[in-house]
Coordinates of all heavy atoms in Angstrom, one line a residue:
M27 N 0.9 -1.2 0.0 CA 0.0 0.0 0.0 C 0.9 1.2 0.0 O 1.9 1.3 0.7 CB -0.9 0.0 1.2 CG -1.7 1.3 1.3 SD -3.0 1.3 2.6 CE -2.1 1.2 4.1
S28 N 0.5 2.2 -0.8 CA 1.3 3.4 -0.9 C 0.4 4.6 -0.5 O -0.8 4.6 -0.7 CB 1.7 3.6 -2.4 OG 2.4 4.8 -2.5
I29 N 1.0 5.5 0.1 CA 0.3 6.7 0.6 C 1.0 8.0 0.0 O 2.2 8.0 -0.1 CB 0.2 6.8 2.1 CG1 -0.7 7.9 2.6 CG2 1.6 6.9 2.7 CD1 -1.1 7.8 4.0
E30 N 0.2 8.9 -0.5 CA 0.7 10.1 -1.0 C 1.2 11.0 0.2 O 0.5 11.1 1.2 CB -0.4 10.9 -1.7 CG -0.9 10.2 -3.0 CD 0.2 10.2 -4.1 OE1 0.9 11.1 -4.2 OE2 0.3 9.1 -4.8
I31 N 2.4 11.6 0.0 CA 3.0 12.4 1.0 C 2.1 13.6 1.4 O 2.0 13.9 2.6 CB 4.4 12.8 0.7 CG1 5.1 13.4 1.9 CG2 4.4 13.8 -0.5 CD1 5.4 12.5 3.0
D32 N 1.4 14.1 0.4 CA 0.5 15.3 0.7 C -0.7 14.8 1.7 O -1.0 15.6 2.6 CB -0.1 15.8 -0.6 CG 0.9 16.5 -1.4 OD1 2.0 16.9 -0.9 OD2 0.7 16.6 -2.7
A33 N -1.2 13.6 1.5 CA -2.2 13.1 2.3 C -1.7 12.9 3.7 O -2.4 13.2 4.7 CB -2.8 11.9 1.8
L34 N -0.5 12.4 3.8 CA 0.2 12.2 5.1 C 0.4 13.5 5.8 O 0.2 13.6 7.1 CB 1.5 11.4 4.9 CG 2.2 10.9 6.1 CD1 1.3 10.0 6.9 CD2 3.5 10.2 5.7
V35 N 0.9 14.5 5.1 CA 1.1 15.8 5.7 C -0.3 16.4 6.2 O -0.3 16.9 7.4 CB 1.7 16.8 4.7 CG1 1.7 18.2 5.3 CG2 3.2 16.3 4.5
D36 N -1.3 16.3 5.5 CA -2.6 16.7 5.9 C -3.1 16.0 7.1 O -3.6 16.6 8.1 CB -3.7 16.6 4.8 CG -3.5 17.6 3.6 OD1 -2.8 18.6 3.8 OD2 -4.0 17.3 2.5
A37 N -2.9 14.7 7.2 CA -3.3 13.9 8.3 C -2.5 14.3 9.6 O -3.1 14.4 10.7 CB -3.1 12.4 8.0
Y38 N -1.2 14.5 9.4 CA -0.4 14.9 10.5 C -0.8 16.3 11.0 O -0.9 16.4 12.3 CB 1.1 15.0 10.1 CG 2.0 15.6 11.1 CD1 2.4 14.9 12.3 CD2 2.5 16.9 11.0 CE1 3.1 15.5 13.2 CE2 3.2 17.5 11.9 CZ 3.6 16.8 13.1 OH 4.4 17.4 14.0
N39 N -1.0 17.2 10.2 CA -1.4 18.6 10.6 C -2.8 18.5 11.3 O -3.0 19.3 12.3 CB -1.4 19.5 9.4 CG -0.1 19.9 9.0 OD1 0.8 20.1 9.8 ND2 0.1 20.1 7.7
T40 N -3.7 17.7 10.9 CA -5.0 17.5 11.6 C -4.8 16.9 12.9 O -5.3 17.4 13.9 CB -5.9 16.7 10.7 OG1 -6.1 17.3 9.5 CG2 -7.3 16.5 11.4
M41 N -4.0 15.8 13.0 CA -3.7 15.2 14.3 C -3.1 16.1 15.3 O -3.4 16.1 16.4 CB -2.8 14.0 14.0 CG -2.4 13.2 15.3 SD -0.9 12.3 15.2 CE 0.3 13.6 15.0
K42 N -2.2 16.9 14.8 CA -1.4 17.8 15.7 C -2.3 18.8 16.4 O -2.0 19.2 17.6 CB -0.4 18.6 14.8 CG 0.6 19.3 15.6 CD 1.8 19.8 14.7 CE 1.3 20.9 13.7 NZ 2.4 21.5 13.1
E43 N -3.5 19.2 15.8 CA -4.4 20.1 16.5 C -5.0 19.5 17.7 O -5.4 20.2 18.6 CB -5.6 20.4 15.5 CG -5.1 21.2 14.3 CD -6.3 21.5 13.4 OE1 -7.5 21.5 13.8 OE2 -6.0 21.7 12.2
Y44 N -5.0 18.1 17.8 CA -5.6 17.4 19.0 C -4.6 17.0 20.0 O -5.0 16.4 21.0 CB -6.4 16.2 18.5 CG -7.6 16.7 17.6 CD1 -7.5 16.7 16.2 CD2 -8.8 17.1 18.1 CE1 -8.5 17.1 15.4 CE2 -9.8 17.6 17.3 CZ -9.7 17.6 16.0 OH -10.7 18.0 15.2
V45 N -3.3 17.2 19.7 CA -2.3 16.7 20.6 C -1.8 18.0 21.4 O -1.4 19.0 20.8 CB -1.1 16.1 19.9 CG1 0.0 15.7 20.8 CG2 -1.6 14.9 19.1
P46 N -1.8 17.9 22.8 CA -1.3 19.0 23.5 C 0.1 19.3 23.2 O 0.9 18.4 22.9 CB -1.4 18.5 25.0 CG -2.4 17.4 25.0 CD -2.3 16.8 23.6
G47 N 0.5 20.6 23.2 CA 1.8 21.0 22.9 C 2.9 20.3 23.6 O 3.9 19.9 22.9
K48 N 2.7 19.9 24.8 CA 3.8 19.2 25.6 C 4.0 17.8 25.1 O 5.0 17.2 25.3 CB 3.5 19.2 27.1 CG 2.2 18.4 27.5 CD 2.0 18.5 29.0 CE 0.8 17.8 29.3 NZ 0.9 16.3 29.3
D49 N 3.0 17.3 24.3 CA 3.1 15.9 23.8 C 3.4 15.8 22.3 O 3.6 14.7 21.8 CB 1.8 15.1 24.1 CG 1.5 15.0 25.6 OD1 2.5 14.9 26.4 OD2 0.3 15.1 26.0
R50 N 3.6 16.9 21.7 CA 3.7 16.9 20.2 C 5.0 16.3 19.8 O 5.1 15.6 18.8 CB 3.5 18.3 19.6 CG 2.1 18.7 19.6 CD 1.9 20.0 19.0 NE 0.5 20.4 19.1 CZ 0.0 21.6 18.9 NH1 0.8 22.5 18.5 NH2 -1.3 21.8 19.0
Q51 N 6.1 16.5 20.5 CA 7.4 15.9 20.1 C 7.3 14.4 20.2 O 7.8 13.7 19.3 CB 8.6 16.5 20.9 CG 9.9 16.0 20.3 CD 10.1 16.4 18.9 OE1 10.1 17.6 18.6 NE2 10.3 15.5 18.0
A52 N 6.7 13.9 21.3 CA 6.6 12.4 21.4 C 5.7 11.8 20.3 O 6.1 10.8 19.8 CB 6.1 12.1 22.8
A53 N 4.7 12.5 20.0 CA 3.8 12.1 18.9 C 4.5 12.0 17.6 O 4.4 11.1 16.8 CB 2.5 12.9 18.8
A54 N 5.3 13.1 17.3 CA 6.0 13.2 16.0 C 7.1 12.1 16.0 O 7.3 11.4 15.0 CB 6.7 14.5 15.9
D55 N 7.8 11.8 17.1 CA 8.8 10.8 17.2 C 8.2 9.4 16.9 O 8.7 8.6 16.1 CB 9.4 10.7 18.6 CG 10.3 11.9 18.9 OD1 10.7 12.7 17.9 OD2 10.6 12.1 20.1
H56 N 7.0 9.2 17.5 CA 6.4 7.9 17.3 C 5.9 7.7 15.9 O 6.1 6.7 15.3 CB 5.2 7.8 18.3 CG 4.6 6.4 18.4 ND1 4.1 5.9 19.6 CD2 4.5 5.4 17.5 CE1 3.7 4.7 19.4 NE2 3.9 4.4 18.1
L57 N 5.3 8.8 15.3 CA 4.8 8.7 13.9 C 6.0 8.4 13.0 O 5.9 7.6 12.1 CB 4.1 10.0 13.5 CG 3.7 10.1 12.1 CD1 2.7 9.0 11.7 CD2 3.2 11.5 11.8
F58 N 7.1 9.2 13.2 CA 8.3 9.0 12.3 C 8.8 7.6 12.4 O 9.2 7.0 11.4 CB 9.3 10.0 12.6 CG 10.1 10.5 11.4 CD1 9.6 11.6 10.8 CD2 11.2 9.8 11.0 CE1 10.3 12.0 9.6 CE2 11.9 10.3 9.9 CZ 11.4 11.4 9.2
S59 N 8.8 7.0 13.6 CA 9.3 5.7 13.8 C 8.4 4.7 13.1 O 8.9 3.8 12.4 CB 9.3 5.3 15.3 OG 9.6 4.0 15.5
I60 N 7.1 4.8 13.2 CA 6.2 3.9 12.5 C 6.4 4.0 11.0 O 6.4 3.0 10.3 CB 4.7 4.3 12.9 CG1 4.4 3.9 14.3 CG2 3.7 3.6 11.9 CD1 3.1 4.4 14.9
L61 N 6.5 5.2 10.4 CA 6.6 5.4 9.0 C 7.9 4.9 8.5 O 8.0 4.2 7.4 CB 6.5 6.9 8.6 CG 5.1 7.5 8.9 CD1 5.1 9.0 8.6 CD2 4.1 6.8 8.0
N62 N 9.0 5.1 9.3 CA 10.3 4.5 8.9 C 10.2 3.0 8.9 O 10.7 2.4 7.9 CB 11.4 5.0 9.9 CG 12.7 4.5 9.5 OD1 13.2 4.9 8.4 ND2 13.4 3.7 10.3
D63 N 9.6 2.4 9.9 CA 9.5 0.9 9.9 C 8.6 0.4 8.8 O 8.7 -0.8 8.4 CB 9.0 0.5 11.3 CG 10.0 0.7 12.4 OD1 11.2 0.9 12.1 OD2 9.6 0.6 13.6
S64 N 7.6 1.2 8.3 CA 6.7 0.7 7.3 C 7.3 0.7 5.9 O 6.7 0.2 5.0 CB 5.4 1.6 7.3 OG 5.7 2.9 6.7
G65 N 8.5 1.3 5.8 CA 9.1 1.2 4.5 C 8.9 2.4 3.6 O 9.2 2.4 2.4
I66 N 8.4 3.5 4.1 CA 8.2 4.7 3.4 C 9.6 5.2 2.9 O 10.6 5.0 3.5 CB 7.5 5.8 4.2 CG1 7.0 7.0 3.3 CG2 8.3 6.3 5.3 CD1 6.1 8.0 4.0
S67 N 9.6 5.8 1.7 CA 10.9 6.1 1.1 C 11.6 7.2 1.9 O 11.0 8.0 2.5 CB 10.7 6.6 -0.4 OG 10.2 7.9 -0.4
E68 N 12.9 7.2 1.8 CA 13.7 8.2 2.4 C 13.4 9.6 1.9 O 13.3 10.6 2.7 CB 15.2 7.9 2.3 CG 16.1 8.9 3.0 CD 17.5 8.6 3.0 OE1 17.9 7.4 2.9 OE2 18.3 9.5 3.1
Q69 N 13.1 9.7 0.6 CA 12.7 11.0 0.0 C 11.4 11.5 0.7 O 11.3 12.7 1.0 CB 12.5 10.8 -1.5 CG 12.1 12.1 -2.2 CD 11.9 11.9 -3.7 OE1 12.3 10.9 -4.2 NE2 11.3 12.9 -4.3
D70 N 10.4 10.6 0.8 CA 9.2 11.0 1.5 C 9.4 11.4 2.9 O 8.8 12.3 3.5 CB 8.1 9.9 1.3 CG 7.6 9.8 -0.1 OD1 7.8 10.8 -0.9 OD2 6.9 8.8 -0.4
L71 N 10.3 10.6 3.6 CA 10.6 11.0 5.0 C 11.2 12.3 5.1 O 10.9 13.1 6.0 CB 11.5 9.9 5.6 CG 10.8 8.6 5.9 CD1 11.9 7.6 6.4 CD2 9.7 8.7 6.9
R72 N 12.1 12.6 4.2 CA 12.8 13.9 4.2 C 11.8 15.1 3.9 O 11.8 16.1 4.5 CB 13.9 14.0 3.1 CG 15.1 13.2 3.5 CD 16.3 13.4 2.6 NE 17.4 12.5 2.9 CZ 18.2 12.7 4.0 NH1 18.0 13.8 4.7 NH2 19.2 11.9 4.2
E73 N 10.8 14.8 3.0 CA 9.8 15.8 2.8 C 8.9 16.0 4.0 O 8.6 17.1 4.4 CB 8.9 15.4 1.6 CG 8.0 16.4 1.1 CD 7.2 16.1 -0.2 OE1 7.7 15.2 -0.9 OE2 6.2 16.7 -0.4
L74 N 8.6 14.9 4.6 CA 7.8 15.0 5.9 C 8.5 15.8 7.0 O 7.9 16.5 7.7 CB 7.4 13.6 6.3 CG 6.4 13.5 7.5 CD1 5.1 14.2 7.2 CD2 6.2 12.1 7.9
A75 N 9.8 15.5 7.1 CA 10.6 16.2 8.1 C 10.6 17.7 7.9 O 10.8 18.4 8.9 CB 12.1 15.7 8.0
G76 N 10.3 18.2 6.7 CA 10.3 19.6 6.5 C 9.0 20.3 6.9 O 8.9 21.5 6.8
V77 N 8.0 19.5 7.4 CA 6.7 20.1 7.7 C 6.8 21.0 8.9 O 6.2 22.1 8.9 CB 5.7 19.0 7.9 CG1 4.4 19.5 8.5 CG2 5.4 18.3 6.6
D78 N 7.5 20.6 9.9 CA 7.6 21.4 11.1 C 8.8 21.0 12.0 O 9.5 20.0 11.7 CB 6.3 21.5 12.0 CG 5.9 20.1 12.6 OD1 6.8 19.2 12.6 OD2 4.8 20.0 13.2
S79 N 9.0 21.8 13.1 CA 10.2 21.5 13.9 C 10.1 20.2 14.6 O 11.1 19.5 14.9 CB 10.4 22.6 14.9 OG 9.3 22.8 15.7
Y80 N 8.9 19.7 15.0 CA 8.7 18.5 15.7 C 9.2 17.3 14.8 O 9.9 16.4 15.2 CB 7.3 18.2 16.1 CG 6.7 19.3 17.0 CD1 5.8 20.2 16.6 CD2 7.2 19.3 18.3 CE1 5.3 21.1 17.5 CE2 6.7 20.3 19.2 CZ 5.7 21.2 18.8 OH 5.2 22.1 19.7
L81 N 8.7 17.3 13.5 CA 9.1 16.2 12.6 C 10.6 16.3 12.2 O 11.3 15.3 12.0 CB 8.2 16.2 11.4 CG 6.8 15.7 11.6 CD1 5.9 16.0 10.4 CD2 6.8 14.3 12.0
S82 N 11.1 17.6 12.1 CA 12.5 17.7 11.8 C 13.4 17.1 12.9 O 14.3 16.4 12.6 CB 12.8 19.2 11.7 OG 14.2 19.4 11.4
R83 N 13.0 17.4 14.2 CA 13.8 16.7 15.3 C 13.6 15.2 15.3 O 14.5 14.5 15.5 CB 13.4 17.3 16.6 CG 14.0 18.7 16.8 CD 13.7 19.2 18.3 NE 12.3 19.5 18.6 CZ 11.7 20.6 18.4 NH1 12.4 21.6 17.9 NH2 10.4 20.7 18.7
A84 N 12.4 14.8 15.0 CA 12.1 13.3 15.0 C 12.9 12.6 13.9 O 13.4 11.5 14.0 CB 10.6 13.1 14.7
S85 N 13.1 13.3 12.8 CA 13.9 12.7 11.6 C 15.4 12.6 11.9 O 16.0 11.8 11.2 CB 13.7 13.6 10.4 OG 14.4 14.8 10.5
A86 N 15.9 13.3 12.8 CA 17.3 13.3 13.1 C 17.9 12.0 13.3 O 19.0 11.6 12.9 CB 17.7 14.3 14.2
E87 N 17.1 11.1 14.0 CA 17.6 9.8 14.3 C 17.6 8.9 13.1 O 18.4 8.0 13.0 CB 16.6 9.1 15.3 CG 17.0 7.7 15.7 CD 16.1 7.2 16.8 OE1 15.5 8.0 17.5 OE2 16.1 6.0 16.9
Y88 N 16.8 9.2 12.1 CA 16.6 8.3 10.9 C 17.3 8.8 9.7 O 17.6 8.0 8.8 CB 15.2 8.1 10.6 CG 14.4 7.5 11.8 CD1 13.7 8.2 12.7 CD2 14.5 6.1 12.0 CE1 13.0 7.7 13.7 CE2 13.9 5.5 13.1 CZ 13.1 6.3 14.0 OH 12.5 5.8 15.0
L89 N 17.5 10.1 9.6 CA 18.0 10.7 8.3 C 19.3 11.4 8.5 O 19.6 12.4 7.7 CB 16.9 11.7 7.8 CG 15.6 11.0 7.5 CD1 14.6 12.1 7.0 CD2 15.7 9.9 6.5
D90 N 20.2 11.0 9.4 CA 21.5 11.7 9.5 C 22.2 11.6 8.2 O 22.2 10.5 7.6 CB 22.3 11.0 10.6 CG 22.0 11.6 11.9 OD1 21.4 12.7 12.0 OD2 22.4 11.0 12.9
P91 N 22.8 12.6 7.7 CA 23.5 12.6 6.4 C 24.7 11.6 6.5 O 25.0 11.0 5.5 CB 24.0 14.0 6.1 CG 23.7 14.8 7.4 CD 22.8 14.0 8.2
E92 N 25.3 11.5 7.6 CA 26.4 10.6 7.8 C 26.3 10.0 9.2 O 25.8 10.7 10.2 CB 27.8 11.3 7.7 CG 28.1 11.8 6.4 CD 29.5 12.4 6.4 OE1 29.8 13.3 7.3 OE2 30.3 12.0 5.6
D93 N 26.7 8.8 9.4 CA 26.8 8.2 10.8 C 27.9 9.0 11.5 O 28.9 9.3 10.9 CB 27.1 6.7 10.7 CG 25.9 5.9 10.2 OD1 24.8 6.4 10.3 OD2 26.2 4.8 9.7
E94 N 27.7 9.1 12.8 CA 28.7 9.8 13.6 C 30.0 9.0 13.6 O 31.1 9.6 13.6 CB 28.2 10.0 15.0 CG 27.1 11.0 15.2 CD 26.6 11.1 16.6 OE1 27.4 10.9 17.5 OE2 25.5 11.5 16.8
E95 N 29.9 7.7 13.6 CA 31.1 6.9 13.5 C 31.9 7.1 12.3 O 33.1 7.2 12.3 CB 30.8 5.4 13.6 CG 30.2 5.0 15.0 CD 29.8 3.6 15.1 OE1 30.4 2.8 14.2 OE2 29.0 3.2 15.9
D96 N 31.2 7.3 11.1 CA 31.9 7.6 9.9 C 32.6 8.9 9.9 O 33.7 9.0 9.5 CB 30.9 7.6 8.7 CG 30.4 6.2 8.4 OD1 31.0 5.2 8.8 OD2 29.3 6.1 7.7
S97 N 32.0 9.9 10.5 CA 32.6 11.2 10.6 C 33.9 11.1 11.5 O 34.9 11.7 11.2 CB 31.6 12.2 11.2 OG 30.6 12.4 10.4
E98 N 33.8 10.4 12.6 CA 35.0 10.2 13.5 C 36.1 9.5 12.8 O 37.2 9.8 12.9 CB 34.6 9.5 14.7 CG 33.7 10.3 15.7 CD 33.2 9.5 16.8 OE1 33.7 8.4 17.1 OE2 32.3 10.0 17.5
D99 N 35.8 8.5 12.0 CA 36.8 7.7 11.3 C 37.5 8.6 10.3 O 38.7 8.5 10.1 CB 36.2 6.5 10.5 CG 35.7 5.4 11.4 OD1 36.2 5.4 12.6 OD2 34.9 4.5 11.0
E100 N 36.8 9.5 9.6 CA 37.4 10.4 8.6 C 38.4 11.3 9.3 O 39.4 11.7 8.7 CB 36.3 11.1 7.9 CG 35.5 10.3 6.9 CD 34.3 11.0 6.3 OE1 34.3 12.2 6.4 OE2 33.5 10.3 5.6
M101 N 38.1 11.7 10.5 CA 38.9 12.7 11.2 C 40.2 12.0 11.7 O 41.2 12.7 11.8 CB 38.2 13.2 12.4 CG 37.0 14.1 12.0 SD 36.2 14.6 13.5 CE 35.8 16.3 13.1
D102 N 40.2 10.7 11.8 CA 41.4 10.0 12.3 C 42.5 10.0 11.2 O 43.6 9.7 11.5 CB 41.0 8.6 12.7 CG 40.2 8.5 14.0 OD1 40.3 9.5 14.7 OD2 39.6 7.5 14.3
Y103 N 42.1 10.2 10.0 CA 43.1 10.0 8.9 C 43.9 11.2 8.8 O 44.1 12.2 8.6 CB 42.4 9.7 7.6 CG 41.8 8.3 7.6 CD1 40.4 8.2 7.6 CD2 42.6 7.2 7.6 CE1 39.9 6.9 7.6 CE2 42.0 5.9 7.7 CZ 40.7 5.8 7.7 OH 40.1 4.6 7.7

């Protein structure tokens, strides 16, 4: 099953209206985790991460441009 990113953004924005501000980061983290596990494309995840600051922070765990270990290895040379 495929979902259009626009529909996902609309659903997220609607859901966000019902989530108290103090719980929005946890909700965004959970949503991003579910979507990542469901096999949504990295391109769609990146687009979703640009919707707001909550999703942007949630994406950091999944969409790092480089692993920290790789960066450290490059510095050792």
Side-chain angles (χ1 to χ4, degrees):
M27 175 170 66
S28 176
I29 186 165
E30 293 292 323
I31 191 67
D32 293 337
L34 188 56
V35 169
D36 288 343
Y38 170 76
N39 285 326
T40 300
M41 177 204 69
K42 191 168 66 170
E43 294 177 25
Y44 297 95
V45 176
K48 66 182 180 72
D49 297 326
R50 287 185 182 163
Q51 188 60 59
D55 291 345
H56 194 146
L57 175 63
F58 216 91
S59 174
I60 290 169
L61 293 173
N62 185 63
D63 291 346
S64 73
I66 193 169
S67 74
E68 184 173 332
Q69 178 181 349
D70 285 345
L71 289 174
R72 287 188 186 283
E73 187 173 340
L74 185 62
V77 169
D78 68 9
S79 60
Y80 298 111
L81 288 172
S82 179
R83 284 190 292 272
S85 74
E87 180 177 338
Y88 301 99
L89 300 178
D90 277 342
E92 293 182 308
D93 290 335
E94 289 180 28
E95 291 179 22
D96 290 342
S97 296
E98 289 174 11
D99 289 343
E100 290 173 10
M101 294 177 138
D102 289 341
Y103 293 111

